[in-house]
Amino acid sequence: MRIVFMGTPEFAVATLRALVEKKYNVVAVVTQPDKPVGRHGSVLQPSAVKQYALEQGIPVLQPEKMKDPAFIEELRSYRADLQVVVAFRMLPEIVWSMPRFGTFNVHAALLPQYRGAAPINWAVINGETQTGVTTFFLDHDIDTGRVIMQRPFDIPDDADVEYVYDGLMHLGAQICLDTIQKIEEGDGFVETLPQEEMIPVGTTLYAAPKIFKDTCRINWNQPAKKIYDFIRGLSPYPGTWTHLQIADQQPQVLKIYQSAKSQRPASDEPGTFVVEKNHLYINTADYQLEIIQLQPAGKRRMAAADFLNGIQKYLRTPISVI
């Protein structure tokens, strides 16, 4: 079976590597164009998928536009029986309908929950205790196609998004292999389930939109548990942020990477600091949240105790985050 693989980030490499190591016939890889990096954008950085594909001698296609006639013609020349998509962009019908066995996607959530670009982040942000991976055939709308297989993955209460990312990355590689085997055994026919039949009455569906800088700002007027989940759902990347206000100085950006829940009731307005024995707590709408790791503007990532040592002379003045 001739397979074309489509993906871009490191998350997708695990699945591509699994296909190569299992001796599947990956005839081409489609990935994003190289990205300009560096201060002046003068250096082009290939995607993680491109780097691995070139190491394996697999042809790489990098279209600017998925409907470009030249790209469509080149893609058609590989005569794929099946296309596999992991962490890539939206495909037009002329692309996903091209192979005789269709195109399936490996999505890092238990669809129909968390459709969208950032399902791993949003599952943690929303305090989910379980997520997973889903394979489904592509159709006209994003992440709505007929489900082929699913595998669950538990989220510990202290796990950050990096832990969940790594777990789903490897689980996604395995479910991809299982899905292809299922398609092979049925000679292209495989039982699927429409997503609308997977939604119990009264269920709320959560979306997983793309994460932007403004998405990552902490709202201290929320309960501590909600802020705790928000911080771990965006750590270590891109990281949550807030504005640090020390006395009458200009506010500066403060990134927060790790926190811990406490049983200490809030003692002041949300966002105000409480410092005790080198421990930093911030008042929220209900409890005080302990800050474990943070990064002041222009400084390295550090423990809260080191941060407090650096602002020792200001600790008798009003300090808060806004």
Side-chain angles (χ1 to χ4, degrees):
M1 185 160 61
R2 299 173 63 83
I3 297 173
V4 167
F5 182 87
M6 300 184 181
T8 295
E10 186 65 35
F11 187 90
V13 174
T15 301
L16 178 57
R17 181 183 293 112
L19 293 173
V20 170
E21 291 179 352
K22 289 294 184 180
K23 308 300 182 184
Y24 278 103
N25 186 23
V26 181
V27 295
V29 159
V30 183
T31 191
Q32 295 278 50
D34 296 356
K35 291 179 62 175
V37 295
R39 179 172 296 181
H40 304 292
S42 57
V43 178
L44 292 178
Q45 177 70 40
S47 71
V49 163
K50 178 180 178 179
Q51 293 179 56
Y52 179 78
L54 293 179
E55 290 171 5
Q56 302 301 316
I58 303 172
V60 175
L61 287 66
Q62 295 179 274
E64 291 282 351
K65 296 181 179 180
M66 298 302 292
K67 292 183 180 180
D68 177 38
F71 164 68
I72 297 297
E73 193 60 32
E74 186 177 10
L75 182 63
R76 188 175 283 116
S77 73
Y78 286 100
R79 296 177 288 107
D81 299 300
L82 179 69
Q83 289 175 160
V84 177
V85 180
V86 183
F88 196 50
R89 59 205 288 187
M90 185 176 179
L91 303 181
E93 183 175 2
I94 193 172
V95 172
W96 56 256
S97 64
M98 191 179 296
R100 65 190 182 109
F101 292 157
T103 300
F104 77 81
N105 181 275
V106 179
H107 186 75
L110 295 176
L111 291 173
Q113 290 288 7
Y114 297 104
R115 294 167 175 160
I120 305 176
N121 298 95
W122 286 107
V124 181
I125 288 170
N126 288 338
E128 301 286 2
T129 58
Q130 188 180 74
T131 183
V133 289
T134 302
T135 53
F136 68 96
F137 284 116
L138 267 62
D139 63 12
H140 294 92
D141 298 315
I142 297 177
D143 299 336
T144 60
R146 296 175 66 91
V147 168
I148 308 167
M149 304 180 78
Q150 291 189 320
R151 295 282 187 275
F153 181 84
D154 291 336
I155 305 177
D157 183 62
D158 60 350
D160 62 17
V161 77
E162 185 174 46
Y163 171 89
V164 183
Y165 180 99
D166 289 344
L168 295 185
M169 180 171 65
H170 294 100
L171 191 60
Q174 185 57 56
I175 199 174
C176 177
L177 296 177
D178 294 342
T179 299
I180 292 176
Q181 182 179 348
K182 200 170 185 180
I183 292 171
E184 282 183 314
E185 290 172 350
D187 193 28
F189 173 79
V190 56
E191 290 186 6
T192 57
L193 189 61
Q195 289 190 35
E196 55 268 25
E197 294 183 10
M198 302 171 65
I199 308 172
V201 176
T203 298
T204 299
L205 291 184
Y206 296 98
K210 188 175 181 179
I211 302 290
F212 296 97
K213 181 180 178 181
D214 286 349
T215 311
C216 303
R217 185 171 185 175
I218 299 172
N219 176 6
W220 296 101
N221 293 303
Q222 299 179 104
K225 173 65 164 66
K226 193 168 184 65
I227 299 172
Y228 169 78
D229 291 335
F230 186 69
I231 291 169
R232 66 193 184 99
L234 293 166
S235 179
Y237 182 82
T240 58
W241 65 276
T242 186
H243 277 133
L244 174 66
Q245 180 73 63
I246 299 179
D248 58 355
Q249 297 181 17
Q250 281 290 105
Q252 58 178 298
V253 171
L254 181 70
K255 280 199 164 188
I256 297 180
Y257 290 99
Q258 186 180 2
S259 65
K261 292 177 290 184
S262 79
Q263 296 301 313
R264 299 162 57 102
S267 58
D268 207 335
E269 293 294 313
T272 50
F273 276 29
V274 178
V275 179
E276 287 188 12
K277 298 179 180 178
N278 276 338
H279 289 266
L280 170 59
Y281 301 90
I282 298 180
N283 284 299
T284 72
D286 53 6
Y287 291 95
Q288 293 176 5
L289 187 69
E290 183 174 5
I291 306 304
I292 307 298
Q293 283 194 329
L294 41 66
Q295 183 177 11
K299 302 288 181 64
R300 61 175 176 81
R301 182 172 170 175
M302 62 183 69
D306 295 329
F307 168 73
L308 292 174
N309 287 336
I311 63 167
Q312 193 73 36
K313 63 181 180 180
Y314 300 110
L315 292 182
R316 293 185 181 275
T317 65
I319 304 177
S320 63
V321 283
I322 54 177

